mmCIF file of all heavy atoms in Angstrom:
data_model
loop_
_atom_site.group_PDB
_atom_site.id
_atom_site.type_symbol
_atom_site.label_atom_id
_atom_site.label_comp_id
_atom_site.label_asym_id
_atom_site.label_seq_id
_atom_site.Cartn_x
_atom_site.Cartn_y
_atom_site.Cartn_z
ATOM 1 N N GLN A 44 110.586 -57.058 8.111
ATOM 2 C CA GLN A 44 110.091 -58.117 8.988
ATOM 3 C C GLN A 44 110.147 -57.763 10.470
ATOM 4 O O GLN A 44 109.556 -58.455 11.280
ATOM 5 C CB GLN A 44 110.883 -59.401 8.746
ATOM 6 C CG GLN A 44 110.695 -59.934 7.363
ATOM 7 C CD GLN A 44 111.527 -61.166 7.097
ATOM 8 O OE1 GLN A 44 112.413 -61.523 7.862
ATOM 9 N NE2 GLN A 44 111.234 -61.825 5.994
ATOM 10 N N CYS A 45 110.863 -56.695 10.840
ATOM 11 C CA CYS A 45 111.013 -56.415 12.274
ATOM 12 C C CYS A 45 110.320 -55.122 12.714
ATOM 13 O O CYS A 45 109.934 -54.993 13.864
ATOM 14 C CB CYS A 45 112.480 -56.378 12.670
ATOM 15 S SG CYS A 45 113.386 -54.918 12.118
ATOM 16 N N GLY A 46 110.182 -54.158 11.831
ATOM 17 C CA GLY A 46 109.458 -52.932 12.163
ATOM 18 C C GLY A 46 110.252 -51.866 12.889
ATOM 19 O O GLY A 46 109.694 -50.830 13.245
ATOM 20 N N SER A 47 111.519 -52.062 13.104
ATOM 21 C CA SER A 47 112.297 -51.034 13.812
ATOM 22 C C SER A 47 112.429 -49.758 12.982
ATOM 23 O O SER A 47 112.757 -48.707 13.525
ATOM 24 C CB SER A 47 113.667 -51.566 14.219
ATOM 25 O OG SER A 47 114.414 -51.915 13.076
ATOM 26 N N CYS A 48 112.142 -49.835 11.698
ATOM 27 C CA CYS A 48 112.237 -48.672 10.809
ATOM 28 C C CYS A 48 110.879 -48.024 10.561
ATOM 29 O O CYS A 48 110.751 -47.182 9.675
ATOM 30 C CB CYS A 48 112.856 -49.089 9.482
ATOM 31 S SG CYS A 48 111.825 -50.266 8.566
ATOM 32 N N THR A 49 109.861 -48.389 11.334
ATOM 33 C CA THR A 49 108.498 -47.908 11.090
ATOM 34 C C THR A 49 108.403 -46.390 11.212
ATOM 35 O O THR A 49 108.839 -45.802 12.199
ATOM 36 C CB THR A 49 107.502 -48.569 12.060
ATOM 37 O OG1 THR A 49 107.570 -49.975 11.894
ATOM 38 C CG2 THR A 49 106.083 -48.081 11.815
ATOM 39 N N VAL A 50 107.841 -45.781 10.174
ATOM 40 C CA VAL A 50 107.484 -44.363 10.168
ATOM 41 C C VAL A 50 106.053 -44.298 9.629
ATOM 42 O O VAL A 50 105.485 -45.315 9.256
ATOM 43 C CB VAL A 50 108.438 -43.509 9.297
ATOM 44 C CG1 VAL A 50 109.867 -43.610 9.815
ATOM 45 C CG2 VAL A 50 108.366 -43.894 7.837
ATOM 46 N N MET A 51 105.502 -43.125 9.576
ATOM 47 C CA MET A 51 104.155 -42.981 9.029
ATOM 48 C C MET A 51 104.195 -42.217 7.718
ATOM 49 O O MET A 51 104.897 -41.223 7.600
ATOM 50 C CB MET A 51 103.242 -42.291 10.031
ATOM 51 C CG MET A 51 102.950 -43.192 11.231
ATOM 52 S SD MET A 51 101.998 -42.422 12.522
ATOM 53 C CE MET A 51 100.475 -42.059 11.681
ATOM 54 N N LEU A 52 103.454 -42.733 6.738
ATOM 55 C CA LEU A 52 103.182 -42.017 5.495
ATOM 56 C C LEU A 52 101.712 -41.649 5.578
ATOM 57 O O LEU A 52 100.855 -42.531 5.600
ATOM 58 C CB LEU A 52 103.426 -42.896 4.276
ATOM 59 C CG LEU A 52 104.854 -43.056 3.809
ATOM 60 C CD1 LEU A 52 104.926 -43.889 2.530
ATOM 61 C CD2 LEU A 52 105.529 -41.718 3.589
ATOM 62 N N ASP A 53 101.453 -40.354 5.663
ATOM 63 C CA ASP A 53 100.120 -39.865 6.004
ATOM 64 C C ASP A 53 99.705 -40.539 7.312
ATOM 65 O O ASP A 53 100.372 -40.348 8.302
ATOM 66 C CB ASP A 53 99.125 -40.073 4.865
ATOM 67 C CG ASP A 53 99.414 -39.140 3.689
ATOM 68 O OD1 ASP A 53 99.976 -38.043 3.913
ATOM 69 O OD2 ASP A 53 99.088 -39.498 2.559
ATOM 70 N N LYS A 54 98.676 -41.342 7.323
ATOM 71 C CA LYS A 54 98.235 -41.964 8.586
ATOM 72 C C LYS A 54 98.533 -43.460 8.641
ATOM 73 O O LYS A 54 98.020 -44.162 9.505
ATOM 74 C CB LYS A 54 96.748 -41.719 8.788
ATOM 75 C CG LYS A 54 96.437 -40.266 9.034
ATOM 76 C CD LYS A 54 95.023 -40.075 9.489
ATOM 77 C CE LYS A 54 94.872 -38.608 9.891
ATOM 78 N NZ LYS A 54 93.769 -38.397 10.783
ATOM 79 N N GLU A 55 99.357 -43.941 7.726
ATOM 80 C CA GLU A 55 99.649 -45.371 7.671
ATOM 81 C C GLU A 55 101.066 -45.658 8.150
ATOM 82 O O GLU A 55 102.019 -45.016 7.695
ATOM 83 C CB GLU A 55 99.505 -45.881 6.237
ATOM 84 C CG GLU A 55 98.104 -45.784 5.683
ATOM 85 C CD GLU A 55 97.118 -46.681 6.411
ATOM 86 O OE1 GLU A 55 97.515 -47.790 6.823
ATOM 87 O OE2 GLU A 55 95.962 -46.255 6.572
#
Side-chain angles (χ1 to χ4, degrees):
Q44 296 177 348
C45 73
S47 62
C48 64
T49 302
V50 300
M51 290 175 62
L52 279 184
D53 289 332
K54 292 191 172 202
E55 296 295 324

